[in-house]
Amino acid sequence: MHNPECCDRRGCARPVITTFCKEALCLDHFCSRSYEFLNGTDERGQLSMASNSPTTEQIQTADECARRTLDICMSKMLLNNLERARLLDILLWCGDLAGSSGAKKNSSSSISEISERGRHQESASRRETSRIAIRN
Ligand SMILES: [Zn+2]
C-alpha cells in the first residue's frame, strides 16, 4: 500500500508538498518534474524560432506548474536558498513559456494575474514597512 502522505516516486519517502500532472510529489521531485517539462518545451521551441509557440496543453501545464510553485512559495514551509532559487527559476520559466505564445489574452492571463497579485502584495508590505519606519 502506498502511503498517500509520501511522494509518488518510487523509493522516495519524503512528504508530499504538492501535486503536479496528477502526481503527488515532494519538493525535490516537483522541481525535477517541472524542469523535465520545461526542458521538453524549450528544446522543441529552439528548433524553429518562427514556430516557437507552445501548445495549449503546454501552456496549461505551465500554468499549473506556476500555480503549484507559487503555492509552495506562499506556504509557511521553510525553504533553503537553493530551493528558493529553483522555485523562482521555475516560476519565471513558466511565465516565459506562457508569454511566448501567440494567444496571450486567453492562455497566459492567469499567470500574469498571479504575478500581478504577487507584485501588489510586495508593494503593500513595502508600504507597511515604510509606514512603521516613519512612525518610529
Ligand atoms: Zn520525492
Side-chain angles (χ1 to χ4, degrees):
M1 278 283 279
H2 181 79
N3 183 346
E5 309 245 310
C6 282
C7 178
D8 276 359
R9 295 294 171 98
R10 195 181 300 212
C12 183
R14 278 174 293 223
V16 168
I17 188 85
T18 190
T19 52
F20 178 49
C21 293
K22 298 186 178 73
E23 276 187 296
L25 299 169
C26 66
L27 185 60
D28 268 8
H29 280 121
F30 169 70
C31 287
S32 56
R33 181 68 188 84
S34 300
Y35 278 125
E36 239 168 67
F37 157 69
L38 291 164
N39 278 315
T41 59
D42 220 32
E43 269 162 18
R44 218 173 295 168
Q46 276 165 0
L47 292 175
S48 157
M49 289 306 282
S51 60
N52 198 7
S53 294
T55 64
T56 312
E57 200 191 330
Q58 285 175 331
I59 291 171
Q60 276 167 357
T61 310
D63 187 73
E64 187 192 350
C65 187
R67 283 167 186 279
R68 300 287 177 256
T69 308
L70 211 66
D71 282 348
I72 298 168
C73 294
M74 298 297 208
S75 72
K76 291 196 170 65
M77 191 192 168
L78 287 171
L79 302 164
N80 65 34
N81 283 343
L82 176 68
E83 287 160 350
R84 284 164 181 269
R86 282 166 109 189
L87 291 170
L88 187 63
D89 187 40
I90 291 167
L91 190 60
L92 293 172
W93 200 343
C94 288
D96 283 349
L97 191 65
S100 70
S101 78
K104 272 184 186 168
K105 272 191 180 159
N106 298 323
S107 324
S108 67
S109 61
S110 44
I111 285 182
S112 50
E113 192 186 292
I114 288 172
S115 55
E116 202 55 42
R117 201 172 58 194
R119 226 172 284 144
H120 283 310
Q121 276 169 2
E122 196 187 303
S123 58
S125 66
R126 210 178 289 151
R127 247 177 280 139
E128 196 61 43
T129 316
S130 53
R131 217 180 295 150
I132 291 163
I134 289 164
R135 225 178 278 159
N136 292 334

